[in-house]
Amino acid sequence: MDASLGNLFARSALDTAARSTKPPRYKCGISKACPEKHFAFKMASGAANVVGPKICLEDNVLMSGVKNNVGRGINVALVNGKTGEVLDTKYFDMWGGDVAPFIEFLKSIQDGTIVLMGTYDDGATKLNDEARRLIAELGSTSITTLAFRDNWVFCGGKGIKTKSPFEQHIKNNKDTNKYEGWPEVVEMEGCIPQKQD
């Protein structure tokens, strides 16, 4: 009986050692912890016209195919820059849809709002100069060159005074596309500073 009790303790000590070598898990599965007064985020564009984009903030999946709240075009999540509370999630079809509702939506965004965007299938065909200008005002630099079936993810903010460091863009190029007719998925993660008064 003593031998089996000893084995039990020996085994639990080994289990503890094995567990302690497992890397820590950070919010949204990002690679490092965010500093205080920052929101952790991770996002991915859609994969061709098959898998929708995914947007996660502070371990809360805001948009994804599993949640069934993504669609062809530009997918947008609005978040309160002070509290991290989700204000809205919507998608706008930039292939078969109309750009006017998207422009009205962009104009209605309040100062201090964090804006996360990801494309799925095609996010550019119906974009016009006004829509591109409004997105550029949120901190985007790639929106001016976003084209048919490009993959793009972006995190900016209403009232931002600089260009956002959170933007990834892969051009649709038949010579380098991973999927037939579409580039590979583009992913991005980081820590968004919380809006201070």
Side-chain angles (χ1 to χ4, degrees):
M1 181 133 164
D2 282 345
S4 63
L5 194 57
N7 286 341
L8 177 68
F9 286 125
R11 197 168 43 247
S12 67
L14 287 172
D15 289 347
T16 305
R19 273 196 299 267
S20 65
T21 60
K22 188 177 167 189
R25 188 197 175 283
Y26 301 112
K27 291 179 180 174
C28 291
I30 68 172
S31 56
K32 63 181 171 77
C34 287
E36 200 176 316
K37 297 189 189 302
H38 282 70
F39 300 119
F41 80 95
K42 186 171 189 173
M43 53 197 303
S45 67
N49 61 348
V50 181
V51 180
K54 185 174 180 180
I55 300 174
C56 177
L57 183 90
E58 287 292 291
D59 251 359
N60 181 15
V61 175
L62 310 183
M63 299 185 83
S64 73
V66 172
K67 290 186 73 115
N68 200 26
N69 66 347
V70 296
R72 178 173 70 183
I74 296 181
N75 293 262
V76 186
L78 302 181
V79 176
N80 180 308
K82 287 182 182 173
T83 65
E85 172 196 359
V86 180
L87 303 173
D88 203 356
T89 61
K90 281 192 173 21
Y91 59 89
F92 299 89
D93 186 347
M94 293 293 109
W95 169 253
D98 181 7
V99 74
F102 186 39
I103 289 171
E104 291 311 306
F105 179 79
L106 292 169
K107 287 179 176 177
S108 74
I109 298 171
Q110 301 294 306
D111 260 18
T113 301
I114 296 168
V115 183
L116 302 108
M117 296 185 180
T119 56
Y120 179 32
D121 189 359
D122 175 39
T125 297
K126 294 283 177 85
L127 279 182
N128 61 16
D129 290 343
E130 184 180 10
R132 290 176 191 273
R133 179 184 54 77
L134 290 166
I135 295 169
E137 288 174 3
L138 300 171
S140 172
T141 52
S142 296
I143 194 64
T144 55
T145 59
L146 190 69
F148 175 68
R149 288 188 177 169
D150 286 359
N151 273 342
W152 173 69
V153 288
F154 165 71
C155 174
K158 183 69 176 240
I160 192 170
K161 302 288 186 260
T162 59
K163 294 301 172 197
S164 171
F166 302 121
E167 187 168 33
Q168 297 289 324
H169 179 201
I170 297 180
K171 297 296 279 176
N172 171 19
N173 179 331
K174 65 179 177 27
D175 298 327
T176 58
N177 283 347
K178 181 170 185 177
Y179 309 107
E180 193 174 315
W182 287 270
E184 66 184 294
V185 170
V186 59
E187 294 181 301
M188 179 174 65
E189 66 177 46
C191 302
I192 308 163
Q194 190 177 352
K195 184 172 179 1
Q196 305 300 310
D197 286 327

